[in-house]
């Protein structure tokens, strides 16, 4: 049973650039959530996708956008990168019903120079 | 808005002993769920245990148990018979019915298991 996978593992970008992170959900899951985890902090919710639409969004600027594909995989895009965007980006998958547990991938570590 | 507080930045425990990691939460919602995740240095968040606000029994999963005290708004994680592989960051998280399916996390507790 394949778990949540994310790519790439690490990424280095410079300020002002754009980045795309990818996530494949656990087999059987249809909902994908994205979280940002700054160093020494707990993860912060960015947004959640279900049926190819953004279902819920946290307190992040419009520079953060996403997409979900028909196979339930998802992308997180960040435009105009800032130094403060350096963090571990975690993807979590679950079923659509409210009571389901979210399972996380290994994360993508983004460094903005 | 909901909030999770973990007041222990770091904890030490000897191998084979039990350890309690503290978590308090704040929400005005009556229906919510509480989670504990383990994050090794590799970065992946590993689900450990879940407690629903209406569950009357404390949740248990193998060596993990959740000491749920609703009136005190606490959801402490108890790890019995600690192992060296338990050394990691531990995060408490909450989801409320009115908040969709997003998780709100605490700042975590770094646990180190010693010989």
């Amino acid at each position: 049973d394949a778990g949540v996978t994310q790519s790439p593992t690490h990424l280095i970008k410079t300020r002002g650039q754009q980045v795309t992170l990818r996530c494949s959900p656990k087999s059987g899951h249809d909902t994908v959530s994205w979280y940002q985890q700054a160093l020494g902090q707990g993860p912060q919710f960015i947004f959640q996708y279900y049926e190819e639409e953004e279902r819920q969004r946290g307190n992040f600027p419009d520079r953060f956008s996403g997409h979900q594909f028909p196979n339930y995989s998802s992308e997180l895009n960040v435009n105009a990168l800032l130094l403060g965007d350096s963090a571990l980006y975690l993807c979590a998958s679950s079923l659509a019903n409210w009571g389901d547990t979210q399972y996380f991938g290994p994360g993508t570590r983004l460094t903005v120079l | 808005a909901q909030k999770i507080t973990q007041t222990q930045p770091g904890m030490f425990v000897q191998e084979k002993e039990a350890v309690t990691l503290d978590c308090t939460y704040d929400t005005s919602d009556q229906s919510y769920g509480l989670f504990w995740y383990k994050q090794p240095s590799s970065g992946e968040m590993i689900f450990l245990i879940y407690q629903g606000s209406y569950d009357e029994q404390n949740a248990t999963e193998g060596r993990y148990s959740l000491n749920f005290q609703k009136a005190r708004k606490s959801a402490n994680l108890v790890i019995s018979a600690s192992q060296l592989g338990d050394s990691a960051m531990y995060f408490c998280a909450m989801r409320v019915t009115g908040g969709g399916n997003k998780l709100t996390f605490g700042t975590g507790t770094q646990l180190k298991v010693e010989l």
Side-chain angles (χ1 to χ4, degrees):
Chain A
D1 182 20
V4 180
T5 60
Q6 292 186 244
S7 64
T9 306
H10 295 86
L11 205 50
I12 299 175
K13 292 285 188 178
T14 56
R15 280 179 298 173
Q17 284 189 312
Q18 178 263 344
V19 68
T20 297
L21 311 181
R22 295 176 175 84
C23 171
S24 290
K26 183 178 166 69
S27 179
H29 284 178
D30 55 10
T31 301
V32 173
S33 303
W34 287 92
Y35 292 81
Q36 180 196 65
Q37 186 179 17
L39 198 61
Q41 301 295 318
Q44 299 288 320
F45 175 77
I46 303 174
F47 43 53
Q48 183 179 88
Y49 276 83
Y50 170 65
E51 290 189 338
E52 302 180 48
E53 291 192 359
E54 184 182 289
R55 184 162 76 164
Q56 193 178 5
R57 188 179 183 92
N59 189 24
F60 278 80
D62 292 344
R63 298 187 297 109
F64 289 77
S65 64
H67 188 77
Q68 186 178 34
F69 299 94
N71 67 353
Y72 307 121
S73 67
S74 176
E75 288 182 349
L76 164 65
N77 300 292
V78 187
N79 294 322
L81 284 167
L82 304 174
L83 295 179
D85 295 331
S86 295
L88 179 68
Y89 288 84
L90 294 163
C91 168
S93 75
S94 59
L95 291 172
N97 53 299
W98 179 83
D100 198 55
T101 296
Q102 293 183 28
Y103 293 89
F104 286 79
T108 294
R109 189 164 297 281
L110 173 65
T111 301
V112 182
L113 301 176
Chain B
Q2 46 272 14
K3 186 177 180 182
I4 294 284
T5 302
Q6 294 181 256
T7 58
Q8 306 156 312
M11 290 280 287
F12 289 90
V13 65
Q14 289 207 313
E15 197 180 21
K16 300 179 185 177
E17 301 211 332
V19 63
T20 298
L21 306 184
D22 294 341
C23 171
T24 58
Y25 60 92
D26 188 24
T27 181
S28 55
D29 285 66
Q30 298 302 307
S31 177
Y32 50 87
L34 295 156
F35 301 79
W36 277 92
Y37 286 87
K38 171 184 178 181
Q39 188 176 42
S41 56
S42 60
E44 182 174 355
M45 300 283 279
I46 302 167
F47 166 71
L48 296 178
I49 197 166
Y50 166 79
Q51 178 86 39
S53 58
Y54 294 116
D55 295 341
E56 295 187 353
Q57 302 267 0
N58 285 343
T60 59
E61 289 285 351
R63 294 187 298 111
Y64 305 107
S65 60
L66 200 153
N67 184 359
F68 181 47
Q69 298 189 40
K70 197 169 182 176
R72 294 185 176 187
K73 293 191 172 180
S74 74
N76 299 338
L77 177 69
V78 181
I79 305 174
S80 62
S82 296
Q83 302 172 357
L84 294 177
D86 293 335
S87 294
M89 279 291 284
Y90 288 80
F91 288 95
C92 181
M94 176 169 61
R95 178 184 61 204
V96 298
T97 306
N101 200 21
K102 73 173 187 180
L103 292 173
T104 299
F105 285 84
T107 52
T109 295
Q110 180 73 51
L111 176 67
K112 292 198 174 178
V113 181
E114 302 172 315
L115 288 170

